[in-house]
Amino acid sequence: MSTAAKKILLGWSAFAGTHMIMSHRPIRQQLIASMGDNNFKMIYSVVAIGILAPTTIVYLRHQRALSQLGSTVERGSLLSGTSVLLKALGLQTFAQAVTTPSPSAMVAENTLHTDEEVAHGIVRVSRHAVFLSTGLWGLANVLTATSPAAVVYWAGYPIFWLVGSLHQDSRQRHDLPARYYEETSILPFAAILEGRNSFSKALDEMNLTAAGVALVVGSSLFGARMGRKVAGTRMLRNNLKHVKVDS
């Protein structure tokens, strides 16, 4: 394992460790009681960003160094196509997650009532849609990773999706109605496939504006990537022509 990969692994371990400790129910309640909910959220966010940002910088610098050395490789069309599909699904999932009221978020605001329907839109697909969106994006990049450091960095997202989802469930199970867990699932579409929820209702409740924005953003990112790829191919061909002429 390279030095960069070890640093990234250490960063992910620190990120997960601090997340689990600070969000552990007894510790979280004690911290909120002593400093207030808003201050806790601010410190929690600062710690998370303070760990994940340097970890991301290590990854970006490593990839940039590999690119300058010409050490990166292109993956096959099947892997690349699957990666693009997963990224598109990740963007759409994230767009729906941030625009659909989440029962987990409503717990914090004390606005969830036991007589309300607990699952709406993307929550019918997965009750931890934000985690799922980052997991899909991470898995997409693992498929096209060009170095061990890249694999370690991007694999952290799907791993944290599962670990974070399970941990959040254990912390909030006392606050949410039992039927929330009976009618939803961590794994996407599991509750729907088992007949515990409805995919048609999920589609009807999706935010079309958010879906459109995600489509535009995804198309822009894909277009920019293809543009860079075409430019790189042209540069390589020009360099090869110059080599042939000089020889």
Side-chain angles (χ1 to χ4, degrees), residues 195-213:
R196 294 185 283 119
N197 218 309
S198 168
F199 185 57
S200 61
K201 287 185 178 180
L203 287 178
D204 290 340
E205 296 164 350
M206 292 295 178
N207 188 313
L208 296 181
T209 301
V213 171

Side-chain angles (χ1 to χ4, degrees), residues 69-159:
L69 291 172
S71 301
T72 58
V73 295
E74 288 291 332
R75 296 306 185 194
S77 58
L78 178 59
L79 285 178
S80 296
T82 304
S83 176
V84 171
L85 177 60
L86 288 174
K87 287 178 181 179
L89 291 173
L91 278 175
Q92 287 291 346
T93 300
F94 181 78
Q96 295 301 320
V98 298
T99 56
T100 302
S102 167
S104 299
M106 287 189 283
V107 165
E109 302 297 332
N110 296 317
T111 59
L112 183 65
H113 303 291
T114 56
D115 59 343
E116 295 178 347
E117 191 171 10
V118 292
H120 301 274
I122 195 66
V123 180
R124 296 181 186 275
V125 177
S126 172
R127 62 174 169 264
H128 295 292
V130 173
F131 282 149
L132 173 59
S133 66
T134 59
L136 289 171
W137 194 268
L139 182 58
N141 283 282
V142 167
L143 294 179
T144 56
T146 57
S147 69
V151 172
V152 174
Y153 177 77
W154 289 111
Y157 290 96
I159 291 173

Side-chain angles (χ1 to χ4, degrees), residues 163-184:
V163 174
S165 297
L166 290 170
H167 181 72
Q168 191 174 82
D169 278 358
S170 67
R171 177 169 60 84
Q172 295 186 335
R173 193 167 288 272
H174 300 288
D175 301 316
L176 290 165
R179 73 177 188 278
Y180 173 59
Y181 296 95
E182 295 169 357
E183 297 174 2
T184 60

Side-chain angles (χ1 to χ4, degrees), residues 15 46-60 153:
F15 179 83
V46 169
V47 171
I49 295 172
I51 295 174
L52 191 57
T55 303
T56 301
I57 291 173
V58 170
Y59 159 73
L60 292 175
Y153 177 77

